[in-house]
């Protein structure tokens, strides 16, 4: 009989109980495992509560919401018009949901990395915390790859250690390569005209903006934000 050994065993047992989270102590390990699995899969969310930036599962695919517009028909039925981006291919699409519908909103973890360089069909970024260099398929960025700039902060979206989304900053400074600005005294119809950027993309900008000007663009929606 060793009283000192028994005391140590009791201390280790108590420490183990304390180390467990309150949720584990209350529900037990099995319940916590089930809750964790449900958390990883996602949560059912009413379409009315969807917002830009959410990741959802629709028709077997995973999509990032670019825009969510609430509309109402003459008969009183409410709908949510979504502009989506496939997180794997970068392709954009439209989806309309009834406001009463429930969809699976994917729970993701996000981390920031610094864009370093492009390498064919891949891009290379560096984790700001671990300094690990990460190779990512260019397709994860979609059409936003034209707006990549050295040193830019990228947000990686992960689920179960799989990276399935790369987001650029909401605002990127770019230069207009081609497109005449409205001269003083000129009269043109429409508040906007289309110009070509140095990266080859075309965007609609106010008439007073033209070639040589630097502007701020949302790289995800490719919309003009303001003059730089």
């Amino acid at each position: 009989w060793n009283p000192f050994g028994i005391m140590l065993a009791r201390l280790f047992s108590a420490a183990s109980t304390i180390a467990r989270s309150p949720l584990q102590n209350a529900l037990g390990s099995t319940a916590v495992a089930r809750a964790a699995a449900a958390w990883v899969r996602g949560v059912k969310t009413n379409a009315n509560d969807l917002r830009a930036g959410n990741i959802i599962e629709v028709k077997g695919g995973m999509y990032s919401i670019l825009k969510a517009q609430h509309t109402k028909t003459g008969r009183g039925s409410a709908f949510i018009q979504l502009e989506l981006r496939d997180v794997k291919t970068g392709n954009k699409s439209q989806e309309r949901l009834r406001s009463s519908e429930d969809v699976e909103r994917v729970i993701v973890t996000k981390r920031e990395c610094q864009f370093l360089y492009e390498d064919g069909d891949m891009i290379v970024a560096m984790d700001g915390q671990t300094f690990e260099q990460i190779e990512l398929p260019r397709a994860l960025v979609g059409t936003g790859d034209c707006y990549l700039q050295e040193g830019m902060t990228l947000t990686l979206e992960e689920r179960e250690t799989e990276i399935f989304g790369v987001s650029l900053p909401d605002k990127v400074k770019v230069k207009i390569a081609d497109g005449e600005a409205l001269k003083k005294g000129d009269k043109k119809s429409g508040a906007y005209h289309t110009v070509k950027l140095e990266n080859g993309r075309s965007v609609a900008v106010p008439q007073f903006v033209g070639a040589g000007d630097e502007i701020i663009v949302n790289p995800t929606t490719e919309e003009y934000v303001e003059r730089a």
Side-chain angles (χ1 to χ4, degrees), residues 15-191:
S16 176
T17 301
I18 292 171
R20 296 171 70 192
S21 70
L23 181 60
Q24 286 176 312
N25 288 325
L27 300 179
S29 58
T30 302
V32 170
R34 288 174 180 169
W39 178 260
V40 169
R41 284 196 305 271
V43 292
K44 287 290 184 184
T45 303
N46 185 266
N48 211 37
D49 296 325
L50 294 176
R51 298 290 182 270
N54 290 163
I55 309 291
I56 60 173
E57 286 189 11
V58 178
K59 299 176 181 177
M62 203 176 301
Y63 300 87
S64 174
I65 299 177
L66 303 179
K67 293 181 183 178
Q69 184 177 0
H70 298 251
T71 59
K72 197 171 184 179
T73 64
R75 296 182 178 180
S77 300
F79 294 89
I80 311 298
Q81 185 70 35
L82 301 176
E83 183 177 337
L84 305 173
R85 178 176 65 84
D86 189 308
V87 298
K88 290 189 175 180
T89 66
N91 294 334
K92 295 180 182 180
S93 61
Q94 300 284 331
E95 184 73 25
R96 191 168 81 156
L97 303 173
R98 295 189 302 274
S99 60
S100 58
E101 280 188 71
D102 286 336
V103 295
E104 190 89 359
R105 184 166 65 85
V106 179
I107 303 300
V108 300
T109 56
K110 297 184 178 183
R111 60 169 163 153
E112 291 187 346
C113 289
Q114 185 181 36
F115 171 67
L116 297 180
Y117 59 89
E118 303 173 46
D119 185 11
D121 292 334
M122 307 292 288
I123 65 171
V124 180
M126 181 177 69
D127 188 301
Q129 299 293 323
T130 65
F131 302 107
E132 170 196 8
Q133 289 195 11
I134 308 165
E135 286 192 344
L136 302 162
R138 182 190 290 269
L140 289 179
V141 187
T143 55
D145 65 344
C146 295
Y147 295 92
L148 288 169
Q149 298 172 3
E150 186 178 344
M152 172 183 284
T153 298
L154 305 177
T155 301
L156 309 187
E157 297 162 339
E158 301 175 276
R159 186 176 69 161
E160 297 179 305
T161 71
E162 177 191 2
I163 299 173
F164 63 85
V166 179
S167 299
L168 276 65
D170 291 337
K171 296 180 179 181
V172 176
K173 184 165 73 171
V174 291
K175 192 172 185 178
I176 298 175
D178 187 31
E180 281 192 37
L182 183 67
K183 295 179 182 178
K184 206 168 186 179
D186 288 350
K187 293 183 180 180
K188 288 186 179 180
S189 60

